[in-house]
Amino acid sequence: MTDTTDRSATPPARQTTAYLKDLFKQVGFTIDARRGQNFLVDLNLLDLLERSAGVTPADAVLEVGSGTGALTERLARAAGRVVTVEIDPRLAQLARERVIECDNVHLVEGDVLAGKHRLAPEVLTAIEKARAACPQGRLLLVANLPYCVATPVISNLLALPRPFDSATVTVQREMAERMTAAAGSHSYNALSVWIGSQCRSEIVRILPPSVFWPRPKVDSAIVRLDLEPDRRARIADLERFHGFVRDIFCHRRKVMRGVLIRMAGGKQQPAAVEAVEAVYAAFGLGATTRAEEIPPDQFVELEREFFQRVD
Ligand code: SAM
């Protein structure tokens, strides 16, 4: 059943630089930069992140990187259920204490990933439980994502049979530009195609380093992705498509024709060359067309045609 407790009565504690310094001094915590521990200390932007996500009491929310629980606590007030994941046991403890009164929060202590291409099984189980508790709602990813795992988290969630309905996250600006890039842009890569073939995407706001503590070296951005189920349904085989896109962009400097011929068996195989020529003819592609010129929806059709002719 969806939890309807009203937690909006008392305002959340303020996560400022002074608050964090004081808290970390009290508990003897030192920041681990390798884990992307840059805390959002601009309260207006925490508001903006939450508002842009449009969380309702019917929704289940996944947060990756609980930190001290500042965003978690806000999400708990707005959502039906929250699953929050934190790898650092010292921060997990702080977050747990912060949301102790929120009985709709499930904190998973551990790595959100179980390898590069897989989410941790306990996270997947927690997500499914949260979804079951919010049958009328959506699954939303809302997070100030740790930079080190932002790409695999989003990519792996989009590879699930039931991914998020919407994601509103802070990531490095460069990554935000890749996530939202259109064909032909210098940022366009495998991630742009993987996201662009399933989601509508937009950069909500560019964030300067000063809104985090400690300050990162580069700008960040809030990005919103909205799943478009009809477009996603046109992908014949998600895992195969994901691998195809990654393989092609591994060789982005090369013309795509050569890469496809190699994928089809190599130029010594006349059938491989013939199959690729047929795909090129079907799509009206020029001999020198590069992967970065092909929009996501055309990639979906091209991949399907390629495997129909090659398999
Ligand atoms: N949500 C907090 C905030 O907005 O202030 C903290 C966000 S901070 C950018 C990222 C958090 O993710 C850190 O607390 C870090 O320890 C955690 N983290 C890093 N790698 C992780 C992983 N692989 N799995 C789960 N949490 C991770």
Side-chain angles (χ1 to χ4, degrees), residues 15 35-40 65 67 86-87 91 111-112 144 146:
Q15 173 162 284
R35 289 185 166 158
Q37 291 175 349
N38 303 95
F39 303 89
L40 196 48
E86 176 54 56
I87 196 170
L91 286 174
D111 193 335
V112 66
N144 172 18

Side-chain angles (χ1 to χ4, degrees), residues 282-309:
F283 285 86
L285 300 175
T288 58
T289 302
R290 290 177 186 275
E292 48 265 55
E293 296 166 47
I294 300 184
D297 289 340
Q298 197 180 1
F299 245 111
V300 170
E301 288 166 28
L302 186 97
E303 188 261 4
R304 193 184 314 111
E305 182 82 20
F306 175 78
F307 283 103
Q308 267 167 13
R309 290 181 184 271

Side-chain angles (χ1 to χ4, degrees), residues 10-207:
T10 48
R14 293 154 56 88
Q15 173 162 284
T16 59
T17 304
Y19 164 84
L20 286 173
K21 282 185 177 167
D22 191 45
L23 177 67
F24 291 169
K25 198 169 159 201
Q26 275 176 42
V27 298
F29 175 79
T30 44
I31 285 169
D32 184 346
R34 289 166 311 163
R35 289 185 166 158
Q37 291 175 349
N38 303 95
F39 303 89
L40 196 48
V41 289
D42 185 312
L43 303 178
N44 292 329
L45 292 175
L46 271 173
D47 280 342
L48 178 65
L49 185 61
E50 188 187 333
R51 243 190 358 265
S52 308
V55 183
T56 76
D59 297 323
V61 171
L62 170 66
E63 181 194 26
V64 176
S66 328
T68 66
L71 179 61
T72 324
E73 189 183 15
R74 284 166 175 259
L75 295 171
R77 288 163 192 266
R81 285 284 190 278
V82 177
V83 174
T84 184
V85 191
E86 176 54 56
I87 196 170
D88 188 323
R90 304 161 306 164
L91 286 174
Q93 184 54 25
L94 290 175
R96 207 176 278 117
E97 285 165 18
R98 184 147 183 167
V99 296
I100 198 148
E101 311 250 292
C102 307
D103 54 7
N104 61 343
V105 176
H106 179 165
L107 192 148
V108 179
E109 185 178 322
D111 193 335
V112 66
L113 299 173
K116 198 172 164 201
H117 299 306
R118 230 159 57 88
L119 292 160
E122 56 274 36
V123 174
L124 293 174
T125 306
I127 292 173
E128 282 321 309
K129 275 194 185 152
R131 266 194 213 275
C134 300
Q136 310 301 331
R138 303 160 300 164
L139 176 69
L140 309 178
L141 171 68
V142 187
N144 172 18
L145 283 176
Y147 295 157
C148 35
V149 296
T151 299
V153 164
I154 291 180
S155 290
N156 294 339
L157 281 167
L158 282 175
L160 294 176
R162 289 176 72 201
F164 52 72
D165 295 281
S166 168
T168 309
V169 292
T170 64
V171 293
Q172 285 190 340
R173 178 181 186 163
E174 205 182 301
M175 180 178 169
E177 286 168 354
R178 287 199 294 270
M179 288 166 74
T180 56
S185 134
H186 73 278
S187 301
Y188 193 65
N189 72 354
L191 184 65
S192 326
V193 176
W194 181 231
I195 291 176
S197 58
Q198 313 187 43
C199 299
R200 208 172 48 246
S201 63
E202 61 164 330
I203 292 181
V204 176
R205 180 81 63 88
I206 302 292
L207 309 178

